[in-house]
Amino acid sequence: MSYTHDGKIALRGLSPAIWRPAANILAASLTLVAVGWALGVPRMLGIAYYPQQLMAVILGLALPVAYLALPMRRGFARDYVPWWDVAAAIASMAVVAYIVVKYPDLVNFIFFRRPEIWIPGVVMVVLLLEALRRATGWALVIIIATFLAYALFANMVPGRMAGRQQSIEVLGGYMALDSNGILGIPMAVAATVVVAFILFGRLLETTGGSQFFTDAALLLMGRFRGGAMKIAVLASGLFGSISGSAVANVAGTGVITIPMIKRDGYPAHKAGAIEAVASTGGQLMPPVMGAAAFLMAEFLAVPYTTIVMAALIPALLYYVALFIQADLEAAKLNIAPVPKSEIPAPRDVASGVHFVFAFGVLITTLFVFNWSPEKAAMLAALSVVVSALVFGYRKKRPALRTIFASLHTTGAAVIEIILISAASGLVIGVLNVTGLSFNLTYALVQIGAGNMIALLGLSALVCIVLGMGLPTLGVYVLLAALVAPALIQVGVEPIAAHLYVLYFGMMSMITPPIAMAAFAAASIARAPAMATGFAAMRFGWLAYVIPVLFVFSPSLLMIGDPLNIALAVVTSVLGVWLISAALAGYLADRLSLGLRLAFAVFGGMALVPAGMFPGAILSDIVGVSGGMALIAWNFTRAQRNLMKEA
């Protein structure tokens, strides 16, 4: 007889001594296969294969790990694996192995309704959806199930949204084998690029690189007012870029940063809001953007570096706005710097400067030598390991055992992204096989009736609603397929359209009533959930504005004349500063309601890029000149008041 951790009788299955090593071996194998594919090892060995076969191998390793490691009910500890989860793990491996081996013979007969094609396909879809439910919850599963139901009954949908009905036989085979289904672009990106970057991040953590960057942030920012907040923003932004989930980022870094911010004197709901906004912004920050950057490059058929350069200015402005507001909040609340005793010694931090070299390798190989992202990440990962073994950090060198353990921790970390990417292929498959993508694009354009503002507003609302509760990659794939084509259809620059839907999709993370990142931060901060959500909206205000600006003026995406780009950046920074001061109600000293309104008006005029509409340059001139005058007057008055008090 076996018992669980709470003393209840457990059903027969695998004990931890069996299932944990098995899951670790499968996870490590997943990482090794992905790395081998990214480096082109099969071709070096002269092995001919379909890309879908390697994707299926990776999925066939991910599914059993999910069934072994994730219980049926989320939030419960996994001590013992019941027999039905073992059966599901074996079945998922078997059905995917069959598809891998027979793929060359089956792929040309997808629409022939053969049992040897559609039965494994249906089993694969069912096992994938259950694994996805365990990893992410019901939200994404319900959305995907709705799309699949649409495909089966598309002819019964009234009006313009009617589509081509598909039988379960055709749908099962198409989803399992076609390059527009499970084994499509999202899966290819996740299986190569995402795994490579997650491995890079895990090796940084294992070798002490993550601690180095935290210490460096503490050394750089700890001596300033609100230093804990600034450290949190830097740490969450760096970690959030590679985490793939704003909620996971809040959970991972928030347990450390939120108590630090609260201890400094910020109210609990503002401490949670700052962490939520910083974590969400990590999904918008190059070079990784929560893995969305790689997929965006594939969808748009442009170099990855093009996406990175386009996304850089809006992301930096996002963090500038957050930094300024939080800094002004610190001034208003008279928050002191971090105690000197908690700031690491410069000599200790300097011992980890070699970790910066890895990022230099990554940037050089990407932007100078034009390597593929996955190969650049692998070289950067190698440089991290070598430099850590040679130099260490704070007189400590990582053990080889912990470095090799990064293989299975990486595999375990990417399971959710692999499952989301594979399931995203189901949505793309339905859009293609039923004609729904064309119908939805047409409907959105018709509703917009040629009015760009109306279409942008409707699209933003759709993005926020559809994005609620979903991880970054799921949000982006869904919106890139459903909403972005409508924006492109009416003349929006393709990169601007895709970034627009990503921004508003991610804003669902901090927008009540279902602000998942804000609510997660609120639970850590022990603050009211809705108060934290509304505070997060205020701190993250720029993300609701800047997508509209770069749609009308792509200069903010580094598209166009360099002089116009530079002018847009300068005026935007001033506009962000002015509006942030208005929202905080403080600059050099407290601002009256009238002054806050004046700051907001001039800030809005300065924020408008010069090329947004005819005569926009006049708006910039008035906003910049008026804003500078207000800033100078406010600082002069504050200085005068200090002299009087002295």
Side-chain angles (χ1 to χ4, degrees):
M1 187 75 69
S2 300
Y3 294 87
T4 63
H5 64 285
D6 57 1
K8 295 181 179 179
I9 297 175
L11 294 177
R12 293 187 179 277
L14 296 181
S15 69
I18 299 174
W19 74 260
R20 282 177 182 160
N24 287 343
I25 291 171
L26 291 170
S29 300
L30 187 158
T31 303
L32 289 172
V33 171
V35 168
W37 186 14
L39 296 177
V41 172
R43 283 195 167 84
M44 293 178 192
L45 299 176
I47 301 173
Y49 64 93
Y50 285 88
Q52 283 71 27
Q53 286 176 286
L54 272 181
M55 292 182 219
V57 169
I58 290 172
L59 182 60
L61 293 168
L63 283 172
V65 173
Y67 281 107
L68 291 176
L70 304 174
M72 289 187 68
R73 296 174 64 185
R74 298 182 73 198
F76 283 75
R78 167 131 288 191
D79 291 338
Y80 213 82
V81 179
W83 67 265
W84 55 80
D85 281 357
V86 177
I90 295 172
S92 59
M93 289 186 71
V95 72
V96 176
Y98 170 81
I99 289 173
V100 171
V101 173
K102 301 288 290 183
Y103 189 86
D105 300 325
L106 301 177
V107 68
N108 294 319
F109 302 96
I110 294 175
F111 295 99
F112 280 67
R113 304 188 183 187
R114 294 184 176 182
E116 66 269 26
I117 295 177
W118 72 265
I119 291 178
V122 170
V123 172
M124 185 176 175
V125 169
V126 172
L127 289 170
L128 172 61
L129 289 179
E130 169 57 16
L132 182 69
R133 182 195 67 79
R134 295 180 181 213
T136 67
W138 279 105
L140 190 55
V141 174
I142 291 172
I143 291 173
I144 293 172
T146 302
F147 275 90
L148 293 174
Y150 172 86
L152 295 173
F153 306 102
N155 62 319
M156 300 174 63
V157 177
R160 186 62 190 146
M161 300 306 292
R164 297 187 296 270
Q165 180 188 22
Q166 305 297 321
S167 67
I168 192 170
E169 295 91 345
V170 170
L171 195 62
Y174 182 85
M175 292 302 176
L177 300 175
D178 196 84
S179 59
N180 289 314
I182 291 173
L183 307 177
I185 289 176
M187 185 64 186
V189 172
T192 53
V193 182
V194 174
V195 173
F197 272 86
I198 296 296
L199 177 59
F200 175 47
R202 288 287 170 174
L203 288 171
L204 268 177
E205 183 178 350
T206 298
T207 58
S210 299
Q211 184 62 47
F212 161 73
F213 286 108
T214 301
D215 289 345
L218 191 58
L219 181 63
L220 290 171
M221 298 292 180
R223 287 169 287 186
F224 300 99
R225 66 189 183 195
M229 172 279 303
K230 292 166 184 172
I231 295 162
V233 171
L234 280 176
S236 299
L238 289 171
F239 179 73
S241 180
I242 62 173
S243 72
S245 169
V247 177
N249 191 13
V250 169
T253 62
V255 292
I256 299 171
T257 59
I258 290 175
M260 286 172 58
I261 300 171
K262 287 176 64 178
R263 187 184 58 197
D264 264 7
Y266 285 91
H269 71 287
K270 290 185 178 179
I274 290 169
E275 171 60 39
V277 175
S279 294
T280 301
Q283 314 298 294
L284 307 171
M285 174 63 76
V288 184
M289 297 166 62
F294 311 118
L295 202 53
M296 195 179 296
E298 292 290 333
F299 281 160
L300 294 173
V302 299
Y304 161 74
T305 51
T306 301
I307 302 298
V308 169
M309 297 305 292
L312 185 59
I313 292 175
L316 289 177
L317 288 174
Y318 177 97
Y319 277 103
V320 166
L322 177 58
F323 258 89
I324 291 173
Q325 285 186 93
D327 178 69
L328 294 177
E329 288 283 346
K332 187 168 66 174
L333 298 170
N334 197 26
I335 292 175
V338 175
K340 289 184 179 181
S341 60
E342 298 182 16
I343 298 177
R347 180 181 299 178
D348 290 338
V349 177
S351 67
V353 169
H354 57 86
F355 288 114
V356 178
F357 175 73
F359 284 89
V361 168
L362 180 66
I363 293 169
T364 302
T365 50
L366 280 174
F367 292 93
V368 177
F369 297 111
N370 293 317
W371 283 24
S372 63
E374 59 269 28
K375 288 184 179 178
M378 292 313 304
L379 185 60
L382 178 62
S383 69
V384 164
V385 173
V386 172
S387 65
L389 289 174
V390 173
F391 300 106
Y393 181 56
R394 288 193 167 193
K395 300 179 181 180
K396 293 181 181 179
R397 290 180 175 85
L400 289 175
R401 181 179 178 181
T402 60
I403 291 175
F404 283 113
S406 298
L407 292 175
H408 73 75
T409 57
T410 296
V414 300
I415 293 300
E416 180 177 318
I417 293 178
I418 294 289
L419 296 176
I420 292 169
S421 301
S424 298
L426 297 173
V427 175
I428 295 173
V430 170
L431 292 173
N432 281 292
V433 78
T434 63
L436 177 60
S437 59
F438 173 80
N439 294 342
L440 189 60
T441 299
Y442 181 83
L444 282 174
V445 172
Q446 287 294 105
I447 292 172
N451 186 321
M452 179 71 79
I453 296 295
L455 180 59
L456 289 175
L458 177 63
S459 298
L461 181 62
V462 170
C463 291
I464 290 174
V465 171
L466 290 180
M468 287 180 176
L470 302 186
T472 304
L473 209 59
V475 170
Y476 173 66
V477 171
L478 190 64
L479 299 177
L482 295 177
V483 182
L487 298 176
I488 296 171
Q489 187 74 26
V490 297
V492 176
E493 187 80 26
I495 290 180
H498 279 253
L499 284 173
Y500 184 91
V501 300
L502 176 63
Y503 264 73
F504 277 107
M506 290 315 303
M507 286 307 95
S508 65
M509 294 290 106
I510 60 171
T511 305
I514 308 180
M516 298 295 290
F519 292 172
S523 66
I524 296 172
R526 297 181 181 179
M530 293 303 289
T532 305
F534 287 120
M537 287 183 70
R538 199 196 80 188
F539 283 118
W541 68 270
L542 186 69
Y544 298 94
V545 175
I546 202 162
V548 179
L549 300 182
F550 63 59
V551 161
F552 285 103
S553 179
S555 57
L556 288 172
L557 302 180
M558 293 196 194
I559 298 174
D561 180 74
L563 183 60
N564 288 336
I565 294 172
L567 181 62
V569 171
V570 171
T571 58
S572 295
V573 170
L574 179 62
V576 165
W577 191 16
L578 292 167
I579 296 176
S580 296
L583 290 171
Y586 193 95
L587 189 59
D589 60 3
R590 291 185 180 273
L591 303 178
S592 66
L593 182 60
L595 276 176
R596 293 176 72 172
L597 182 60
F599 268 80
V601 170
F602 284 119
M605 296 177 74
L607 192 58
V608 173
M612 186 168 176
F613 54 83
I617 187 66
L618 296 176
S619 171
D620 274 346
I621 292 171
V622 173
V624 169
S625 57
M628 292 298 291
L630 278 176
I631 291 171
W633 179 80
N634 185 255
F635 273 94
T636 302
R637 189 184 70 170
Q639 190 67 30
R640 191 182 303 121
N641 290 339
L642 284 174
M643 292 176 66
K644 286 180 180 179
E645 291 176 4

